[in-house]
Amino acid sequence: MSELIYLASQSPRRSQLLDQLGVRHTLLLPNVEGDAPEDAEAIEAALPGEAPANYVERVTALKLDAAVLRQARRGLPAAPILCADTTVTMGATLYGKPADAQDARRILAELSGRTHRVLTAIALQAGAQRWAALSVSHVTFAELSPEQIAAYVDTGEPLGKAGAYGIQGRAAALITHLSGSYSGIMGLPLYETAQLLRAAGFAL
């Protein structure tokens, strides 16, 4: 079994979490110079009426499909490929990455004083075999004033993050309760990731 894996994610937090497990990895990212362009937005589009868990698992599988093709197209050495996707949901509403600061303020206002779910799906492919898992966590925000929301959004931290917040950053001061996987809320549930890697033959 290869001692190295490909991480098909642009999230620095996922890379840091793999480092925490002691897993050597290299990034396998789309749209590098000289490569065929990939439409990430099309992959992440939700289907009408799609349940949040089905959405995040489907998107993760599509990301992994794209990464497998990317590896083959570039003629890269064989190694397992890991993909993940995180979404924040309250009821049937999906909260992805905010489009801009105004959108981030809207999302945080809707999450204020309420409990939402954070779903992170992971998938690992090694050769023809594929393993997948889903982490579900619950996060409760304090009642946030418009001034608190604006101040947090002004830090720039909410942009690029599902649900418009990063639990490992300043948003930790806004959260009253969480249950589930802290690393899953960050974007890569370490328990489930370790299970998948062991199934693929890694000794962790």
Side-chain angles (χ1 to χ4, degrees), residues 10-28:
Q10 301 189 56
S11 165
R13 296 168 297 284
R14 291 187 178 124
S15 183
Q16 291 161 5
L17 287 165
L18 278 181
D19 286 338
Q20 190 174 325
L21 281 183
V23 176
R24 288 180 57 238
H25 59 281
T26 187
L27 299 181
L28 180 59

Side-chain angles (χ1 to χ4, degrees), residues 50-53 55-56 86-96 104-119 136-144 149 162-165 177:
E50 188 171 26
Y55 165 80
V56 75
T86 300
T87 195
V88 168
T89 176
M90 199 158 51
T93 302
L94 296 172
Y95 295 95
R105 289 191 292 270
R106 175 192 64 82
I107 292 171
L108 290 166
E110 292 182 15
L111 298 181
S112 171
R114 303 174 72 185
T115 298
H116 61 267
R117 291 189 301 156
V118 181
L119 309 180
V136 181
S137 301
H138 295 81
V139 177
T140 304
F141 269 100
E143 291 279 356
L144 304 177
I149 291 172
Y165 73 93
H177 186 263

Side-chain angles (χ1 to χ4, degrees), residues 117-200:
R117 291 189 301 156
V118 181
L119 309 180
T120 296
I122 58 172
L124 179 74
Q125 180 138 344
Q129 287 189 285
R130 181 175 290 198
W131 300 265
L134 177 67
S135 167
V136 181
S137 301
H138 295 81
V139 177
T140 304
F141 269 100
E143 291 279 356
L144 304 177
S145 69
E147 292 76 19
Q148 284 178 301
I149 291 172
Y152 178 55
V153 172
D154 285 346
T155 68
E157 188 176 284
L159 300 180
K161 295 181 176 65
Y165 73 93
I167 195 166
Q168 73 284 0
R170 300 184 189 192
L174 310 175
I175 291 167
T176 62
H177 186 263
L178 67 87
S179 62
S181 168
Y182 183 84
S183 58
I185 298 168
M186 284 180 66
L188 190 70
L190 291 185
Y191 176 76
E192 289 85 352
T193 299
Q195 284 188 309
L196 267 57
L197 288 168
R198 289 191 185 102

